[in-house]
Amino acid sequence: MTLRVGMLTSGGDCQGLNSAMRGVAKRLYEADQNTEIIGFLDGFYGLMNGAYREMKSADFSGILATGGTILGTSRQPFKLLETPLHPDAAPNPTRKEAMIRTYRDLKLDALVILGGNGTHKTANALFQAGLNIITLPKTIDNDLYETDSTFGFQSAVNIATEVIDGIHSTATSHGRVFIIEIMGHKVGWLTLHAGIAGGADVILIPEIPYEPMAIVKAIRKREAQKKPFSIIAIAEGAKSKAEASLSKSEYAARISKERHLSVAYRLWAVLNELTVKEIRCVVPGHFQRGGSPSPYDRVLTTALGVKAGDYILDKKFGFMMALRNNEISAVPLDKVAHRMKAIPKDHYLIDAARKTGIYFGDEKII
Ligand code: F6P
């Protein structure tokens, strides 16, 4: 029997979304060239509102190396899932009911969802509600549990590393301090990897609150070692110890009062008070999420996509495809949803970084 399979990309985009969908589609077409694929537009928005495209095999050609997502994406918060789709209209299904209705109306046999942390909460809820869900782990943040790596992560590490490499030479020429802001509001995987790869001198991540004075001392220590420049790689969500001790609302109030453009500028203001060095900020921002997937991510997404196709053909649902111990495997959605993979403080990369002289802003420097 010919299958009808839905597909959507949800949350912030990243490199590898198109190559992952291509992997799924090629696997399914290889099994049955008449497979019907429905592409929902802009993530769960398309599923809720019945906005979709009937895809053709040609739609999945020529997209292996393209960035972004051919289906579009949007952020649809999980906390709104049980709220009315159109608060002022009747009949009034919840967003979840509307998603289930679209799936049933289109007589889908399965729905493939590509997304990160927030997306997996909704994907799991839809599976619990009886839909045949398969997911693929996307995010440059690498914060999904049960997979050694998400796709998009390595591409973003490559870009962030190139940024640090590029800054290195000008920082050296001028003997300046540079603060480079790397994406990652909740976790520091990207900053840690790019920081080590780019030879950052200080790495600040949400998992390790820092003391501003420790950074100043690290800069001075480097100067004493005849290294007048320093590179600080800071994750978007890094906090000082004082900031980390605040409640969520106190922190939000402080941030909005200070009105800095982003974390790099906040740190800039603090360090400027404490040191006489010239400090510059670099914020590559969404550039880290853009452009072509790296060869690693093209390979990973192809393998993950094919595995997703295998699971659909075998009628096995409720799984996220994952990379575990160099094998592509599948993990139950409820082991992934509602969890966030932060960097353990005793992670081997933090240890390696410290032992190669990288500071995290929490050391006692005399
Ligand atoms: O989750 C991926 C991510 O790129 C984070 O690293 C970043 O903090 C966030 O998305 C940015 O979100 P937005 O695209 O909504 O600006």
Side-chain angles (χ1 to χ4, degrees), residues 179 202-216 232-245 251 254-255 258 262-271 274 345 354 359-363:
I179 301 172
V202 179
I203 293 179
L204 304 175
I205 54 178
E207 291 87 342
I208 305 180
Y210 62 86
E211 200 59 75
M213 207 50 217
I215 302 171
V216 173
I232 303 169
I234 183 169
E236 281 173 307
K239 289 179 181 167
S240 67
K241 286 185 183 172
E243 289 167 343
S245 71
Y251 179 68
R254 177 181 286 193
I255 296 296
E258 288 177 357
S262 66
V263 71
Y265 295 95
R266 221 158 65 228
L267 180 64
W268 179 89
V270 173
L271 294 187
L274 300 174
K345 291 220 170 57
R354 288 194 197 278
Y359 299 96
F360 284 84
D362 62 341
E363 355 354 60

Side-chain angles (χ1 to χ4, degrees), residues 63-253:
I63 61 169
L64 176 61
T66 60
T69 158
I70 56 169
L71 293 179
T73 186
S74 63
R75 292 191 189 276
Q76 304 293 337
F78 171 74
K79 62 177 184 228
L80 299 182
L81 195 60
E82 305 287 354
T83 64
L85 177 61
H86 299 299
D88 304 325
N92 207 349
T94 64
R95 290 165 157 243
K96 185 163 112 187
E97 286 164 349
M99 290 183 199
I100 295 170
R101 187 177 62 191
T102 306
Y103 178 100
R104 302 257 183 250
D105 286 353
L106 287 171
K107 298 191 175 12
L108 296 181
D109 295 299
L111 175 62
V112 183
I113 298 174
L114 294 82
N117 247 317
T119 301
H120 273 80
K121 297 182 203 169
T122 300
N124 188 42
L126 294 176
F127 173 64
Q128 300 297 338
L131 307 197
N132 293 337
I133 303 292
I134 286 292
T135 70
L136 291 167
K138 78 84 236 204
T139 166
I140 63 165
D141 292 348
N142 194 33
D143 58 353
L144 278 171
Y145 256 101
E146 304 294 338
T147 184
D148 298 342
S149 181
T150 56
F151 67 82
F153 175 62
Q154 279 305 330
S155 303
V157 169
N158 291 357
I159 294 174
T161 303
E162 263 186 57
V163 172
I164 299 176
D165 285 347
I167 292 301
H168 238 122
S169 56
T170 176
T172 317
S173 308
H174 288 264
R176 279 175 173 155
V177 174
F178 272 84
I179 301 172
I180 305 177
E181 182 176 306
I182 312 279
M183 272 190 157
H185 259 123
K186 296 190 175 138
V187 297
W189 293 105
L190 183 52
T191 310
L192 179 62
H193 279 247
I196 293 174
D201 306 299
V202 179
I203 293 179
L204 304 175
I205 54 178
E207 291 87 342
I208 305 180
Y210 62 86
E211 200 59 75
M213 207 50 217
I215 302 171
V216 173
K217 284 185 180 168
I219 294 168
R220 290 192 185 140
K221 192 164 175 187
R222 285 176 49 75
E223 283 171 343
Q225 295 163 342
K226 308 257 178 292
K227 294 170 184 161
F229 73 95
S230 285
I231 296 204
I232 303 169
I234 183 169
E236 281 173 307
K239 289 179 181 167
S240 67
K241 286 185 183 172
E243 289 167 343
S245 71
L246 300 175
S247 71
K248 220 173 163 185
S249 57
E250 287 169 337
Y251 179 68

Side-chain angles (χ1 to χ4, degrees), residues 23-36:
V24 181
K26 284 201 180 274
R27 174 66 187 103
L28 294 175
Y29 288 134
E30 190 252 1
D32 175 358
Q33 61 180 1
N34 295 317
T35 303
E36 294 166 10

